[in-house]
Amino acid sequence: MRRSLIMGVGSALPERVMTNDDISKIVDTSDDWIVERTGIRSRHIASDAETTRSLGTLAAQRALADAGMAAAEIDLIIVATSTPDLTFPATATLIQADLGITGGAAFDLQAVCSGFIYALTTADALMRCGQSASALVIGSETFSRILDWQDRATCVLFGDGAGAVVLKTGEGQGSNADRGILASCIHSDGRYSDKLYVDGGPSKTGTVGHLRMEGREVFKHAVTNIAAVMEETIAAAGIRADDIDWFVPHQANRRILEGTARKLGISAERIVITLDRHGNTSAASIPLALDAAVKDGRIKRGNLILMEAMGGGFTWGAVLARY
Ligand code: UT7
């Protein structure tokens, strides 16, 4: 059975770090409130010279180096982002050019914070059907550009960054002992599109717009939807929650990720948490967390990892993989 193996991981963060105290000089908030309600202590904010493209390219180069593969081997690039450099062409094609790749396909995928899960699922499907042999799946965001820096309910939550994985097809036995992506489930429900959205866009306003969110509503749905899709994905692979070595969640709110882990009986020591220093980086948060835990030696080859996310749309999903 054809499997999509994770060959390498990489990430990139803007140089500038903004602490909660820094934000409290802009809006009426405090380090205590932000830490207690979210778990976030600081985030990285892109300079004018750092963009979704430049961060994504750096993360991709680091993932290729980690995989020991040449850029020329890649025949598919998917960039999950809601903050592209330009309305078009796709940031994926800009990164393709930066990497010196001239063949294969490159496109962006828009599923907001669930973008990386959607992109992994799409790449895996294209690889298993034989369309692509090696892929770069990148989550890259500069949410600082679409925040309303006067709105304390949202501007304290997000940060900028990028993460990438290199996938390559390999043969497995068809059992959950295989390496690579073992199961994935994605969902959406557009009835909730007004709970988390950007109030501008090329067709409707001709502007970029700002992020708007009903935080409490999103929170409520997040815990329910994430727990359900995690259970669905675990069942699809025929494993138990106990078998999971590392839970690598989208980093939106510490209470959400600890609450969903608890619902499934995943112990707190097995959760990879980076939101304290990254904030919510939307589609970049899972590969950023994955890279941190691989590089510090927590996630090892053969470990079973469960990734999940929920975001605007609503969209949500989970991917189970053996690293
Ligand atoms: O990645 C995409 C998915 N996004 C999410 O998963 C986010 C989900 N939502 C959340 O994480 C939480 O709802 C938030 C962290 C956004 C907010 O936490 P909350 O516990 O739901 O707070 P709240 O919105 O109910 O606000 C509580 C109080 C309000 O004051 P009153 O009305 O009780 O007097 C807010 O005005 O906290 C106030 N508040 C703040 N105070 C200080 C809101 N933002 C701030 C702030 N600093 N930054």
Side-chain angles (χ1 to χ4, degrees), residues 117-189:
I117 295 293
Y118 268 62
L120 267 186
T121 302
T122 305
D124 179 46
L126 289 170
M127 292 173 79
R128 281 189 294 108
C129 77
Q131 171 74 33
S132 307
S134 303
L136 259 170
V137 179
I138 304 166
S140 187
E141 302 276 20
T142 44
F143 260 48
S144 63
R145 310 274 209 257
I146 55 165
L147 295 177
D148 175 352
W149 286 96
Q150 306 302 315
D151 177 16
R152 69 175 184 175
T154 54
C155 76
V156 303
L157 304 173
F158 296 89
D160 301 333
V165 298
V166 177
L167 300 177
K168 190 175 181 174
T169 48
E171 283 304 312
Q173 302 300 312
S175 80
N176 54 31
D178 287 349
R179 268 185 64 203
I181 295 175
L182 300 176
S184 65
C185 299
I186 50 175
H187 296 284
S188 62
D189 187 342

Side-chain angles (χ1 to χ4, degrees), residues 37-278:
R37 301 289 178 122
T38 72
I40 298 166
R41 292 178 186 277
S42 63
R43 70 289 289 143
H44 291 251
I45 300 292
S47 67
D48 289 347
E50 292 166 319
T51 68
T52 295
R53 171 190 191 165
S54 72
L55 294 167
T57 297
L58 206 52
Q61 286 165 335
R62 289 172 178 164
L64 283 166
D66 187 46
M69 286 170 59
E73 290 178 63
I74 299 297
D75 62 4
L76 173 68
I77 301 173
I78 307 179
V79 175
T81 189
S82 302
T83 47
D85 276 41
L86 305 167
T87 301
F88 78 79
T91 304
T93 60
L94 306 177
I95 293 175
Q96 183 189 31
D98 289 345
L99 297 173
I101 301 172
T102 52
F107 61 91
D108 287 1
L109 190 152
Q110 222 286 47
V112 205
C113 296
S114 315
F116 188 73
I117 295 293
Y118 268 62
L120 267 186
T121 302
T122 305
D124 179 46
L126 289 170
M127 292 173 79
R128 281 189 294 108
C129 77
Q131 171 74 33
S132 307
S134 303
L136 259 170
V137 179
I138 304 166
S140 187
E141 302 276 20
T142 44
F143 260 48
S144 63
R145 310 274 209 257
I146 55 165
L147 295 177
D148 175 352
W149 286 96
Q150 306 302 315
D151 177 16
R152 69 175 184 175
T154 54
C155 76
V156 303
L157 304 173
F158 296 89
D160 301 333
V165 298
V166 177
L167 300 177
K168 190 175 181 174
T169 48
E171 283 304 312
Q173 302 300 312
S175 80
N176 54 31
D178 287 349
R179 268 185 64 203
I181 295 175
L182 300 176
S184 65
C185 299
I186 50 175
H187 296 284
S188 62
D189 187 342
R191 284 176 301 171
Y192 301 102
S193 57
D194 62 343
K195 304 296 176 208
L196 174 50
Y197 68 104
V198 169
D199 62 6
S203 182
K204 194 170 162 89
T205 62
T207 61
V208 172
H210 290 117
L211 183 147
R212 305 291 172 207
M213 175 165 75
E214 286 179 38
R216 217 176 294 183
E217 274 297 299
V218 180
F219 191 103
K220 209 171 65 192
H221 285 90
V223 178
T224 316
N225 290 343
I226 292 168
V229 79
M230 281 165 70
E231 276 170 356
E232 184 187 0
T233 308
I234 286 170
I239 63 150
R240 293 171 312 136
D242 266 2
D243 300 326
I244 295 161
D245 295 300
W246 290 103
F247 175 40
V248 188
H250 169 52
Q251 312 279 319
N253 185 314
R254 197 176 175 118
R255 289 181 290 150
I256 295 177
L257 51 95
E258 287 179 344
T260 46
R262 211 167 25 244
K263 262 192 169 184
L264 267 88
I266 299 172
S267 62
E269 312 83 68
R270 289 186 288 150
I271 312 174
V272 178
I273 298 179
T274 49
L275 95 166
D276 52 333
R277 55 189 198 273
H278 296 167

